[in-house]
Amino acid sequence: MEVEIRRARHAAYLRLAAAHAGPLGPALLGHPELAPLYSQAYAACRGAKELPCAGVGGEPRACVVRRLEHLAYSALRGGKRRREQEKAMVEGLLLCLGHLAQEFPPEFAPILEATRRVLEKDLQYLKGLSPDGPLPAS
C-alpha cells in the first residue's frame, strides 16, 4: 500500500510540475487556451511576504516547477523526517499559490485552483489525516 501511495504522489507532482513548466502545460489540466498567456503570467513575481523570496521576487516558471519536481522525487522515498520536510514544502507552496493568485491574470485561476486542491489533499496525507488517500490525478 505504501509503495502505491508513493507512486501516486510522485505521478501527481510530476503532472503538476509539467502543468506549470511551459506554455503547453495548462493543457494538461484542460486549459489549452491559456498557452498564449503563459509568458505574461509566469514572467516574474515580487515574492510572497511569508516566503524567502519576499522582496527579491522569483520566477514562478522555475521556482514553482522545481519545488513540485523536488516533491515528486522525494515522494518516492520513505522516512518520517522526509515527510516532515515535504509538509513544510507543501505549506510553502500553498502560500506561494495564494500570492500567485493575486499576481497572475484571472484566467489562470483554474490552474492555480487545481494545483491548490492537489497540495491540500497531500497536506492532509502528510499530517496523517488521510492515511490511505493517494493524490487525485488532477
Side-chain angles (χ1 to χ4, degrees):
M1 178 73 169
E2 178 66 24
V3 170
E4 291 153 359
I5 291 173
R6 287 180 189 183
R7 288 181 183 157
R9 291 180 69 230
H10 173 74
Y13 278 120
L14 282 181
R15 180 181 165 109
L16 284 179
H20 289 275
L24 299 179
L28 292 172
L29 299 178
H31 296 280
E33 74 280 2
L34 296 176
L37 296 174
Y38 179 86
S39 296
Q40 172 195 352
Y42 287 82
C45 79
R46 295 185 303 267
K49 262 199 304 193
E50 303 86 1
L51 297 174
C53 59
V56 297
E59 193 171 337
R61 68 178 146 212
C63 61
V64 171
V65 172
R66 298 300 170 254
R67 287 194 243 165
L68 291 168
E69 287 174 341
H70 177 81
L71 281 166
Y73 293 106
S74 181
L76 290 175
R77 297 178 176 90
K80 184 175 180 169
R81 193 172 86 187
R82 180 174 299 278
R83 296 299 174 248
E84 286 298 316
Q85 292 168 346
E86 290 171 357
K87 185 174 135 252
M89 185 170 272
V90 168
E91 290 169 341
L93 273 167
L94 285 168
L95 287 173
C96 180
L97 286 178
H99 177 72
L100 292 178
Q102 298 168 3
E103 302 264 328
F104 278 20
E107 295 86 356
F108 272 83
I111 303 302
L112 297 175
E113 178 60 25
T115 304
R116 186 190 60 76
R117 278 194 311 269
V118 171
L119 290 171
E120 287 178 347
K121 173 80 172 157
D122 196 40
L123 186 58
Q124 294 299 310
Y125 166 75
L126 292 169
K127 288 181 175 180
L129 301 175
S130 177
D132 58 5
L135 291 169
S138 64

